[in-house]
Amino acid sequence: MRVKKGDLVEVTVGKDAAASEGHRARGRVLSIDDKSGRVTVEGIGRVHKHVRPSRKNPQGGRLHIERPIELSNVMPICPKCDRGVRVGVKVNEDGSRDRVCKKCGTSLGRYRRAQK
Ligand SMILES: [Zn+2]
């Protein structure tokens, strides 16, 4: 898994990719669905959902929800390169694996196996 929950990622395709001048949209990964290979990213793919009044939401009205996007459409951001980067995997001496920026080698945290 190149991406983990809580990662700051860059969106590489779709209408969110060109959100602000010259910069790709960024957001934090809220959740990952390993089965469908989709991620939900804060502020990305946002849609309005109309809801009926309920006890939880007595006013009803519109809710913002984030629609999951394809995992392959996001890239983790390397803090050193300050951009979305390709991720490599480095095996540590104790057998654990780290994700590293393929450009500069900076560690991007532990590599996570997909839970299927
Ligand atoms: Zn880097």
Side-chain angles (χ1 to χ4, degrees):
M1 270 293 175
R2 301 178 303 136
V3 174
K4 282 203 297 194
K5 193 174 166 182
D7 275 353
L8 195 59
V9 296
E10 203 171 74
V11 178
T12 57
V13 297
K15 68 178 169 69
D16 288 309
S20 53
E21 324 79 50
H23 290 283
R24 283 168 166 170
R26 294 176 173 195
R28 215 161 272 286
V29 175
L30 299 175
S31 66
I32 300 176
D33 185 342
D34 289 328
K35 289 204 179 77
S36 64
R38 285 171 171 263
V39 291
T40 307
V41 181
E42 195 175 31
I44 304 297
R46 196 171 271 184
V47 290
H48 298 291
K49 192 182 176 188
H50 292 270
V51 290
R52 289 167 197 270
S54 64
R55 201 178 308 171
K56 199 176 152 199
N57 186 359
Q59 301 273 308
R62 298 204 302 178
L63 271 181
H64 290 285
I65 56 164
E66 274 103 356
R67 224 176 0 190
I69 57 173
E70 293 283 336
L71 193 58
S72 57
N73 294 344
V74 301
M75 288 174 120
I77 291 173
C78 168
K80 202 168 166 188
C81 301
D82 191 32
R83 49 169 292 191
V85 293
R86 290 186 184 281
V87 172
V89 176
K90 189 185 115 206
V91 180
N92 299 311
E93 278 179 26
D94 64 359
S96 64
R97 295 192 288 174
D98 277 352
R99 300 173 303 157
V100 294
C101 168
K102 271 198 173 168
K103 243 191 162 98
C104 70
T106 296
S107 174
L108 302 174
R110 276 292 147 83
Y111 182 87
R112 186 182 74 95
R113 253 181 248 275
Q115 312 281 315
K116 290 214 166 152

